Amino acid sequence: MTARTPSRTLGESVRDIPEATVARLPVYLRALNTLAEADTRTCSSEELATAAGVNSAKLRKDLSYLGSYGTRGVGYDVDYLRYQIAREIGVTQDWPVVIVGIGNLGHALANYSGFRSRGFRVVALLDADDTRHGEVVAGVDVRAFDDLEEIVTTHGVAIGVIAAPAAAAQDVADRMVACGITSILNFAPSVISVPDGVDVRKVDLSIELQILAYHEQRKAQLS
Amino acid sequence: MTARTPSRTLGESVRDIPEATVARLPVYLRALNTLAEADTRTCSSEELATAAGVNSAKLRKDLSYLGSYGTRGVGYDVDYLRYQIAREIGVTQDWPVVIVGIGNLGHALANYSGFRSRGFRVVALLDADDTRHGEVVAGVDVRAFDDLEEIVTTHGVAIGVIAAPAAAAQDVADRMVACGITSILNFAPSVISVPDGVDVRKVDLSIELQILAYHEQRKAQLS
């Protein structure tokens, strides 16, 4: 227990969770959601590990940070573990999000059901192109980039998504930070710099393709 | 050396590379590309590790699987290491790819510069909607889904990308497998099953948002 951590109920983790574990929690949550959709009530660590694509020792270690150890001979309660992980990640709360850049990718993201189902609510789509303003995409208004500050303040937006072209990404990030946004998801194929205290995650849509290419190459070598 | 591995030049890895390392190689490659764009010729393991967002001990361990150890006091040669990693992943060769589903996401993927720059060449966009056939998106023809087999055979396509709605994903995957595709990148928010020998990677665009949410929640707790 550190001075900064208020008292917690028994079973809750008070430790800082390693970054690699944090990155796997959404993967476990997705696997648990799939199990729940199939009406599975309990699962062993081996079943969950297979569904998530990790080994079961790593899974058990990761879940131990959440104070979750399962029940001997029974395994994990799917619904309760979903709740524990969702609470730990913070997706039990509502996260208003703005998306900047309303090209095909911005459109696709606005329509992406996986955001809404995890508590991410797109409150506005912003674009520098005046001719797009007033459009409604996936039930969300397209607004002027100049409205960013007002929208961030009104909705308490902490997370911004950049779906703008690479050349505009740094400008967009600077404006987001100036408006008080402290987490940025960058889909633009460029590196952005931000001050300390602002988190940036970059999505590279080609990473998974490269992993597939590696395995394809191995298959070709072995056949 | 195993019986299956033909003789290799000194310095090349003959070991199977752990999956977690495989998943980080594209991240190192991206970091090295950024360094090269800034005309950086050599870099220390610490610099590269920081750029890639991992710790330097892990980076050195990962690169040791490629037989790449850097030079004491100098570090790594950026261009040579790029080449080594790209060759190991297999992205020094040309990978013809088909995308099925030409909604906003399919459009965005067809336009995505990060595919082309890593050797992934979109040879066709396929859609079940007849009214879209004959369109050209990002220089690529939109064709009928029924043309899949012909396209796979003609271009030697090993990798298929599913950008179709969730309800259609399994059908698309089955058809891809029947045509000889052995690696599938699934953007649809649904789980698909495939026979042994076929690799599937799933892209969940919300995973990175969830990691940001975790950190936002921590910031809020600590402030």
Side-chain angles (χ1 to χ4, degrees), chain B residues 107 110-111 116 121-125 134-142:
Chain B
H107 260 93
N111 277 296
R116 269 164 286 163
R121 182 168 50 90
V122 180
V123 295
L125 299 163
E135 268 183 58
V136 177
V137 172
V140 180
D141 291 330
V142 177

Side-chain angles (χ1 to χ4, degrees), chain B residues 98 123-124 126 143-144 147-157:
Chain B
V98 289
V123 295
L126 306 182
R143 299 190 44 187
D147 294 345
L148 180 64
E149 186 163 9
E150 182 207 321
I151 293 163
V152 167
T153 308
T154 306
H155 295 278
V157 174

Side-chain angles (χ1 to χ4, degrees), chain A residues 5-214:
Chain A
T5 312
S7 65
R8 286 178 157 225
T9 332
L10 194 71
E12 287 188 78
S13 166
V14 293
R15 283 174 287 185
D16 266 329
I17 299 182
E19 197 56 36
T21 298
V22 171
R24 282 189 291 269
L25 292 179
V27 180
Y28 299 149
L29 187 56
R30 183 174 62 191
L32 286 163
N33 288 340
T34 305
L35 289 171
E37 281 162 21
D39 286 327
T40 307
R41 302 288 174 81
T42 58
C43 66
S44 66
S45 56
E46 286 74 19
E47 287 167 328
L48 183 54
T50 302
V54 302
N55 74 57
S56 58
K58 182 174 279 178
L59 173 98
R60 284 191 297 270
K61 172 83 177 156
D62 284 342
L63 296 183
S64 74
Y65 289 108
L66 278 62
S68 194
Y69 298 94
T71 306
R72 200 180 180 84
V74 177
Y76 295 95
D77 180 297
V78 169
D79 273 339
Y80 185 59
L81 188 56
R82 283 168 81 192
Y83 165 74
Q84 282 187 300
I85 295 177
R87 185 190 53 186
E88 190 68 42
I89 300 175
V91 291
T92 46
Q93 65 187 86
D94 172 64
W95 292 100
V97 166
V98 290
I99 297 175
V100 176
I102 186 61
N104 288 310
L105 184 60
H107 261 91
L109 294 175
N111 277 298
Y112 189 61
S113 62
F115 287 170
R116 270 165 285 164
S117 66
R118 276 124 177 151
F120 300 103
R121 183 168 49 90
V122 179
V123 295
L125 299 162
L126 307 182
D127 203 282
D129 178 359
D130 291 345
T131 63
R132 309 298 300 270
H133 304 158
E135 266 183 58
V136 177
V137 172
V140 179
D141 292 330
V142 176
R143 298 190 45 186
F145 188 46
D146 284 339
D147 294 345
L148 180 63
E149 187 163 9
E150 183 207 321
I151 293 162
V152 167
T153 308
T154 306
H155 295 276
V157 175
I159 303 178
V161 177
I162 301 180
Q170 184 64 55
D171 276 351
V172 172
D174 291 344
R175 287 287 293 276
M176 284 182 169
V177 171
C179 293
I181 282 178
T182 46
S183 284
I184 296 175
L185 184 63
N186 183 23
F187 280 91
S190 64
V191 175
I192 56 176
S193 39
V194 294
D196 283 349
V198 176
D199 285 307
V200 175
R201 308 274 316 179
K202 196 168 183 318
V203 178
D204 181 339
L205 298 171
S206 78
I207 294 251
E208 299 290 328
L209 264 187
Q210 293 181 58
I211 296 169
L212 286 173
Y214 172 81

Side-chain angles (χ1 to χ4, degrees), chain A residues 16 19 30 88-90 112 118 182-183 197 199 201 204-205 208 210 214-219, chain B residues 16 19 30 88-90 112 118 182-183 197 199 201 204-205 208 210 214-219:
Chain A
D16 266 329
E19 197 56 36
R30 183 174 62 191
E88 190 68 42
I89 300 175
Y112 189 61
R118 276 124 177 151
T182 46
S183 284
D199 285 307
R201 308 274 316 179
D204 181 339
L205 298 171
E208 299 290 328
Q210 293 181 58
Y214 172 81
H215 291 291
E216 274 302 318
Q217 185 183 234
R218 301 286 287 193
K219 287 181 212 167
Chain B
D16 265 328
E19 199 56 37
R30 183 174 63 191
E88 190 68 42
I89 301 175
Y112 189 61
R118 275 119 174 158
T182 45
S183 285
D199 285 307
R201 307 277 312 180
D204 182 338
L205 299 170
E208 299 289 327
Q210 293 181 57
Y214 172 81
H215 291 292
E216 273 303 318
Q217 184 182 235
R218 301 285 289 192
K219 287 182 212 165

Side-chain angles (χ1 to χ4, degrees), chain B residues 29-41 78-79 82:
Chain B
L29 187 56
R30 183 174 63 191
L32 286 163
N33 288 341
T34 305
L35 288 171
E37 281 162 21
D39 286 327
T40 306
R41 302 288 175 81
V78 169
D79 273 340
R82 284 169 80 192

